[in-house]
Amino acid sequence: MNDSHFMQQALDLARRGEGLVEPNPMVGAVIVHDNQVVGEGWHQQFGGPHAEVHALQAAGPRAHGATMYVTLEPCCHHGKTPPCVNALIEAGLARVVVAMSDPFPQVDGHGIAKLRNAGIECEVGMLEAEALALVAPFLKLIRTGRPWVIAKWAMTLDGKIATHTGSSQWITGEAARAVSHRLRGRMDAVVVGSGTAEADDPLLTARPAGPRTATRIVLGDVSQASRLGQSLAEAPLMAVHSRAVTDDPYDWLVEAGGELLVIETPDRISQLKMLLSELGRRQMTNVLFEGGGQVLGALFDAGAVDEVHVFVAPKMVGGDNAPSPIAGLGIAQMEAAFKLDRVAVEDIGDDLHISGCVANNA
C-alpha cells in the first residue's frame, strides 16, 4: 500500500474547498480497502459536513476494516457538526493515516488519542509539510489572530508599476488579469491605498465572481463618485482613517451600507497591524493587498506579508520618478532581503506569474 500516493490524493481533494470553507481549514479524506479507493471526500463548505463524513458516506459498508487517509486530525468536539472521530469509530475503520495534528485547542491531539483508545491504528506525519502549507492561513489565524496576508502587483520588466505620469493601465495582458481576478475571488478582503483608488478608479471585485465576495478596503479617502463608491450593491466597502472624521464626509458611505473604520495611530505600519488584528477578529482568513508602493512598503516593513503574487510584463518604461512596487523604509543589507519559499513560475500569455511564500513567515 502506497501511503504517500493516497495522502497526496487526499491533499488534492482538500484544495477543492479553497474559498468555500474559510475560516475552517481545507481538508480531504480518502478511504482505501485492499489497495482500492472505496470512498473520498473533502470539506465542501463552511458549516457543512467534514471531509471524513463525505468519504464515509461514499464508502458505505466498505469502510469496515479499511484505511482512511485524512489531511488533518479528525475533530473530536461538537462544533457546527458532530465529532468526526465518532463516525470513524462507528464505521469500523482499521487504520487512520493523518497528515498533521489539528492545533485548534479543542482538538490538538485528542482526536488521535480517541481513535487509538478505540483500537484503531493511527499514524501521523505523512506528507505533513504539504498539509501544513495547505492550511497555513487557518494556522496563522488560530495562532496569531491575524489573517494570511497576500501582496500582489503587476510590473514591467524594469520594475515599474506605472510610468512617471502615473499611467498604469494596462501593464499585463488579459490572461494575467484573469488570474488576478481568480485570486480576488477567494479573498475575504482586498486592500488598496487611497492613491491607488484615486489614480486607477478600480472596482476591486472578482470578475467573474468567485466563491467569496471580498470586502473592499481603502486606506484613506474614497470618493462617492468613484466606481468603488457607486458599487456598494456589488460588494462591501470600508474606508480606514487614522483619525476621527469630524466634518462627516462619509455619511454617504454609512448610509449606503458601507463602513468607516477609525484606527487612531500616527503611522501607517501601526495602522496596518491594528487593521489586520481587527480583520482577524472578524474571522477573515485571507486578505489581499494590491498596493500601491507606499502601502506595500509599509506592509513589508511591518513584516506582515505571508505570500506574494507578482505579474511581470515584457515591457520597459524607465524614468527616475516612475514608481516601483515596494516603497517604505526597505532592507538595509542584502543578506536580510525577504526571500520566497515554494516558488512557482508560470507563463501566462506574454507575461510571467511568480508566486511564493515569504520564507521567514511561511
Side-chain angles (χ1 to χ4, degrees):
M1 185 176 293
N2 189 337
D3 286 346
S4 63
H5 170 79
F6 293 124
M7 185 61 78
Q8 185 60 59
Q9 187 171 337
L11 289 164
D12 293 340
L13 287 168
R15 193 164 289 283
R16 296 186 187 183
E18 189 172 52
L20 297 166
V21 303
E22 292 84 355
N24 284 352
M26 293 178 280
V27 182
V30 173
I31 299 175
V32 177
H33 199 289
D34 292 334
N35 215 34
Q36 297 293 318
V37 174
V38 296
E40 60 182 31
W42 64 95
H43 188 26
Q44 298 179 10
Q45 66 179 50
F46 179 73
H50 290 185
E52 300 94 320
V53 173
H54 284 296
L56 288 171
Q57 289 174 343
R62 295 174 296 177
H64 188 81
T67 296
M68 174 179 282
Y69 298 85
V70 61
T71 60
L72 185 69
E73 177 182 4
C75 65
C76 55
H77 67 294
H78 281 273
K80 291 186 177 296
T81 60
C84 289
V85 164
N86 294 357
L88 270 61
I89 294 171
E90 291 169 7
L93 288 165
R95 179 172 175 252
V96 176
V97 180
V98 180
M100 59 172 286
S101 60
D102 188 342
F104 190 69
Q106 290 176 278
V107 185
D108 198 16
H110 299 300
I112 293 167
K114 190 170 182 179
L115 290 172
R116 287 173 173 162
N117 289 339
I120 297 175
E121 179 186 351
C122 283
E123 298 176 27
V124 183
M126 174 59 60
L127 299 188
E128 182 178 35
E130 290 85 345
L132 285 166
L134 180 73
V135 297
F138 165 75
L139 295 178
K140 185 183 180 189
L141 187 61
I142 289 293
R143 291 168 175 168
T144 72
R146 290 181 177 176
W148 185 259
V149 174
I150 302 172
K152 190 222 80 174
W153 64 88
M155 69 180 186
T156 60
L157 198 58
D158 56 338
K160 306 296 184 180
I161 59 173
T163 69
H164 68 90
T165 65
S167 173
S168 62
Q169 296 182 345
W170 296 101
I171 293 175
T172 56
E174 289 186 9
R177 296 200 297 274
V179 174
S180 294
H181 280 285
R182 288 199 294 272
L183 188 61
R184 281 181 186 172
R186 61 178 182 84
M187 294 294 114
D188 292 304
V190 178
V191 187
V192 297
S194 57
T196 297
E198 181 179 358
D200 294 348
D201 194 20
L203 274 173
L204 299 181
T205 55
R207 302 182 296 278
R212 303 187 84 78
T213 299
T215 296
R216 301 166 300 167
I217 301 176
V218 178
L219 303 175
D221 294 328
V222 56
S223 168
Q224 183 177 5
S226 68
R227 295 207 295 167
L228 288 168
Q230 293 296 307
S231 60
L232 268 78
E234 296 181 36
L237 177 62
M238 176 194 295
V240 180
H241 265 265
S242 58
R243 54 180 172 73
V245 180
T246 57
D247 53 356
D248 298 324
Y250 285 105
D251 284 350
W252 68 267
L253 177 61
V254 176
E255 290 170 2
E259 181 178 1
L260 174 64
L261 178 64
V262 176
I263 300 177
E264 296 195 41
T265 177
D267 63 90
R268 176 54 58 81
I269 291 176
S270 298
Q271 182 189 56
L272 287 172
K273 289 181 177 179
M274 294 174 70
L275 172 63
L276 291 172
S277 294
E278 172 60 21
L279 299 183
R281 187 189 67 78
R282 300 182 188 201
Q283 291 294 285
M284 291 190 180
T285 308
N286 293 283
V287 175
L288 179 66
F289 281 76
E290 294 197 8
Q294 294 297 328
V295 171
L296 291 178
L299 201 63
F300 275 96
D301 288 343
V305 178
D306 299 296
E307 184 176 336
V308 170
H309 288 260
V310 183
F311 298 87
V312 184
K315 302 175 182 177
M316 291 157 284
V317 299
D320 288 340
N321 296 322
S324 61
I326 305 173
L329 297 174
I331 297 297
Q333 300 295 326
M334 186 58 70
E335 63 186 18
F338 293 99
K339 302 177 182 67
L340 295 185
D341 283 338
R342 304 197 295 273
V343 177
V345 181
E346 179 184 13
D347 288 319
I348 305 175
D350 292 330
D351 306 312
L352 283 181
H353 175 204
I354 304 169
S355 61
C357 294
V358 178
N360 59 336
N361 289 355

